Amino acid sequence: MSKDRLYLYDTTLRDGQQTQGVQFSTPEKVRIAEALDALGLDYIEGGWPGANPTDSAFFDAAPATRAKMTAFGMTKRAGRSAENDDVLAAVLNAGTKTVCLVGKSHDFHVTEALGISLPENVENIRASIAHINAQGREALFDAEHFFDGYKANPDYALECIHAAHQAGARWVVLCDTNGGTLPAEIFAIAKEVIASGIPGDHLGIHTHNDTETAVAGSLAAVEAGVRQIQGTLNGLGERCGNANLTTLIATLLLKEPYRSAFDTGIAEEKLAGLTRLSRMLDDILNRVPQRQAPYVGASAFAHKAGLHASAIVKNPTTYEHIEPETVGNARIIPMSNQAGQSNLRKRLADAGLQVEKGDPALARILDTIKEREDQGYSFDTAQASFELLARRELGLLPEFFEVKRYRVTVERRKNKYNRMISLSEAMVVVKVGGVKTLSVSESMDETGSDRGPVNALSKALAKDLGPYQNLIEDIRLVDFKVRITQGGTEAVTRVIIDSEDSTGRRWSTVGVSPNIVDASFEALLDAVNWKLIHEGAKP
């Protein structure tokens, strides 16, 4: 049976940049575009040339892509021709073969926001799309506020999108700009649009996530007959974000009826890089990945309850809707005081530690976990520290080095510009193979900013570990979480550190102490020791 072609249009480089706190540099946009193209997207929207220096610079530096690189802009303004509109000219000057223009399709926005007549707006849409076609470009029309406009005045909303279609728009995109239209409404309205004379293979859907239904709304539009989906990686976007293409791609390729009904142009083997692509974007943005994100989140295949873990050991399909490896993710059996021996043996096996059922060490490990968690530790999210604990009880934890002492100082002083700054400095003495070394490091980064005492400690610890140095040089701290587990004078600090190496491998470690620096250092030590074990270092 032949499949319908479904086209995927990524707007991460424009809509994603509207996320509060997000600002891409031009090199970052180039890197993301190359990754999107490697995945197999059909369209990559590069930004709005002329709207800001970064977007304009990107089109000058844009990589050659198989995907259609698209410039975004708005329809011409009233009172001038399309040929003489400087804003429209800036979009065309980007030189892309594909251009997407946004225009109003809600009568309220036309009269209130634009302050023009309804016929003038329709003419602006028609003339702008016709002008793009006359330049030999592929034209898309984003019908802004379409669903709200349709519910308020269906005849006018249809008039707007038909003007774009008749003027030659390859795609007319129905936008739920405010994110308040529910999937059932999207399905019904998209059906009515198709019945009005615009075929589904010329229609796109653009949803926002203000009701947590952007993905569902996009799928509803596809079921109604729409054949282009717009969205962003990790659901980036203004307010609550856009439709999450990371989730949509996995769903379309793996779930029925979409898997059998549609060809997206993305090869199924490309899904194995989806988790890494998602985390690459978070890394560029210096954001902590969302652990509960579908498919790609660190907890997407985590099984904590003892009953669940026991079933997972027998057959993973009991509690997993897909194999984690399909999307480049991994199964996790967290260890906590809710754990039983089924969880424990499975987690040990995942770490390469085969322990027979009934081995007395299993009970010792569980007792130690429960005792530690009473003290404030959490092995639920610190899998690497759990593995080290288990190795210690099994007599399988090598000693690579010994920390003899360390010191951290924090100084507050004025710099040469007479501004008060902080500077942290750490000293660590380690003993490796009978040889003591002393390392000192400060926390100042390349911008002259203080990165704090934990950063200084981390740099000092990793500065000189003798024969192990080349094995730990690619360790990078990607997240640092602190929690006070008790109040008042009995307060205990728990620190969880997420580390990553050059292969993209991530691991989490935990430290607990009344002193935040001690807790941090304990977690840092675990991170280094876990890395050495998994690099095959010899004690």
Side-chain angles (χ1 to χ4, degrees):
M1 185 178 68
S2 62
K3 296 182 179 182
D4 280 0
R5 184 65 160 89
L6 191 60
Y7 294 84
L8 299 178
Y9 183 110
D10 182 272
T11 72
T12 302
L13 301 182
R14 183 186 64 83
D15 274 319
Q17 196 161 252
Q18 295 177 8
T19 309
Q20 187 175 9
V22 169
Q23 183 63 50
F24 297 121
S25 67
T26 298
E28 288 170 343
K29 293 186 75 165
V30 170
R31 182 182 172 194
I32 294 168
E34 290 172 339
L36 291 169
D37 190 50
L39 180 62
L41 276 294
D42 296 295
Y43 293 84
I44 299 172
E45 191 175 87
W48 188 329
N52 60 72
T54 302
D55 281 8
S56 298
F58 170 75
F59 286 102
D60 292 335
T65 56
R66 177 207 52 79
K68 294 180 179 180
M69 188 62 66
T70 306
F72 181 89
M74 67 180 183
T75 55
K76 80 172 187 70
R77 290 164 291 177
R80 64 190 70 191
S81 67
E83 293 77 7
N84 293 313
D85 189 292
D86 57 335
V87 176
L88 187 53
V91 177
L92 290 169
N93 288 342
T96 59
K97 294 181 180 179
T98 305
V99 175
C100 180
L101 298 182
V102 64
K104 305 294 186 184
S105 57
H106 186 178
D107 57 359
F108 169 75
H109 283 268
V110 173
T111 57
E112 296 299 316
L114 296 182
I116 62 176
S117 69
L118 299 184
E120 280 182 295
N121 181 60
V122 174
E123 173 57 20
N124 289 345
I125 296 170
R126 186 207 63 76
S128 300
I129 297 298
H131 180 58
I132 292 174
N133 276 327
Q135 304 297 311
R137 317 285 183 93
E138 178 181 356
L140 291 86
F141 175 63
D142 270 10
E144 190 178 34
H145 296 286
F146 175 77
F147 290 97
D148 291 331
Y150 187 89
K151 287 183 276 188
N153 186 340
D155 291 339
Y156 184 71
L158 289 173
E159 184 181 358
C160 290
I161 61 173
H162 276 276
H165 179 60
Q166 291 162 11
R170 168 64 183 90
W171 294 102
V172 173
V173 183
L174 311 179
C175 300
D176 183 31
T177 309
N178 287 350
T181 308
L182 297 178
E185 295 178 288
I186 290 175
F187 176 86
I189 293 172
K191 278 283 193 185
E192 290 168 12
V193 170
I194 293 171
S196 75
I198 302 180
D201 59 4
H202 282 260
L203 287 173
I205 182 68
H206 181 114
T207 58
H208 285 254
N209 206 34
D210 298 72
T211 56
E212 197 69 57
T213 57
V215 167
S218 299
L219 294 174
V222 169
E223 291 171 7
V226 170
R227 292 297 175 259
Q228 186 199 82
I229 298 177
Q230 295 193 355
T232 61
L233 282 181
N234 294 352
L236 287 183
E238 194 172 30
R239 304 186 314 275
C240 303
N242 288 46
N244 190 337
L245 272 185
T246 312
T247 302
L248 279 163
I249 288 168
T251 298
L252 291 168
L253 268 67
L254 298 175
K255 297 297 184 179
E256 298 294 354
Y258 314 107
R259 176 188 174 96
S260 297
F262 300 108
D263 174 19
T264 64
I266 296 179
E268 189 165 323
E269 58 267 22
K270 292 287 186 179
L271 284 178
L274 197 62
T275 297
R276 190 161 189 182
L277 175 61
S278 169
R279 293 176 186 175
M280 180 201 82
L281 180 64
D282 285 324
D283 183 54
I284 288 173
L285 298 175
N286 196 27
R287 289 157 53 116
V288 179
Q290 183 183 349
R291 300 190 70 89
Q292 274 73 36
Y295 297 103
V296 298
S299 297
F301 301 96
H303 307 279
K304 182 175 180 179
L307 177 63
H308 295 188
S310 177
I312 283 288
V313 171
K314 298 170 184 173
N315 188 332
T317 62
T318 52
Y319 286 95
E320 289 177 352
H321 65 114
I322 65 165
E323 294 180 0
E325 297 78 11
T326 306
V327 291
N329 210 338
R331 180 178 302 116
I332 293 176
I333 308 294
M335 293 311 305
S336 74
N337 58 16
Q338 295 184 34
Q341 289 203 7
S342 294
N343 294 52
L344 180 56
R345 292 182 65 240
K346 178 64 175 65
R347 186 63 188 93
L348 291 171
D350 289 344
L353 302 172
Q354 299 297 330
V355 182
E356 294 300 320
K357 188 175 181 179
D359 190 312
L362 295 174
R364 293 200 309 271
I365 293 171
L366 284 175
D367 287 343
T368 302
I369 288 170
K370 293 173 183 180
E371 179 184 339
R372 291 287 187 89
E373 291 201 338
D374 282 343
Q375 296 168 7
Y377 287 84
S378 173
F379 297 101
D380 184 6
T381 54
Q383 299 297 311
S385 287
F386 153 73
E387 182 184 330
L388 297 179
L389 179 153
R391 285 180 176 275
R392 186 175 292 109
E393 291 294 333
L394 293 167
L396 298 174
L397 183 63
E399 184 177 355
F400 300 107
F401 61 91
E402 179 187 2
V403 175
K404 304 300 290 185
R405 60 192 175 96
Y406 72 87
R407 182 175 67 241
V408 179
T409 61
V410 179
E411 182 181 5
R412 187 77 172 156
R413 70 185 184 202
K414 284 190 175 183
N415 64 9
K416 62 182 178 179
Y417 303 108
N418 203 36
R419 289 198 298 265
M420 292 299 296
I421 62 168
S422 294
L423 179 64
S424 303
E425 187 176 77
M427 178 275 291
V428 179
V429 176
V430 298
K431 186 177 181 181
V432 185
V435 178
K436 284 186 183 180
T437 60
L438 183 151
S439 298
V440 179
S441 184
E442 62 179 26
S443 60
M444 197 74 73
D445 64 14
E446 61 276 5
T447 68
S449 300
D450 177 52
R451 306 301 294 177
V454 176
N455 176 269
L457 262 178
S458 175
K459 289 163 66 175
L461 176 63
K463 206 166 190 176
D464 186 6
L465 281 184
Y468 308 121
Q469 190 59 33
N470 66 317
L471 300 177
I472 65 168
E473 285 180 341
D474 65 339
I475 297 179
R476 189 168 60 89
L477 306 186
V478 292
D479 193 22
F480 177 82
K481 296 181 284 288
V482 177
R483 181 169 182 180
I484 305 302
T485 61
Q486 300 177 38
T489 58
E490 302 299 320
V492 173
T493 302
R494 177 198 301 149
V495 170
I496 293 179
I497 291 177
D498 291 349
S499 303
E500 185 178 57
D501 63 17
S502 58
T503 68
R505 179 173 55 186
R506 288 197 178 203
W507 62 100
S508 299
T509 52
V510 62
V512 170
S513 171
N515 184 307
I516 188 172
V517 175
D518 284 339
S520 302
F521 195 67
E522 182 183 3
L524 287 171
L525 283 175
D526 274 6
V528 171
N529 278 299
W530 187 91
K531 168 74 168 172
L532 291 175
I533 288 172
H534 285 263
E535 291 292 344
K538 302 300 181 183

